[in-house]
Amino acid sequence: MAEKKFVRSTTDKMVAGVCGGLAKYFDIDVTIVRVLFVLFALAGGPGILAYIILWIVMPEEGGTSIAEDVTSGGDGE
């Protein structure tokens, strides 16, 4: 069985790949995750804040997260 990784998707993304990564991790349709983020965003903004935090914290498939890149002083490679 393949190891599950909590990463942003590089193939199934519209903005940063957060929803695609979450959908792959939880093995659900990406549309459901996107709709949930929109609903949370319309309910006062926690969806937008959660998306931005996940965008910073979640590493991209085969790469590093924005937070890891900033703290290491690297250029992402």
Side-chain angles (χ1 to χ4, degrees), residues 22 27 71:
L22 287 171
D27 196 29
T71 58

Side-chain angles (χ1 to χ4, degrees), residues 63-76:
T64 59
S65 69
I66 295 171
E68 290 171 340
D69 199 31
V70 169
T71 58
S72 69
D75 60 1

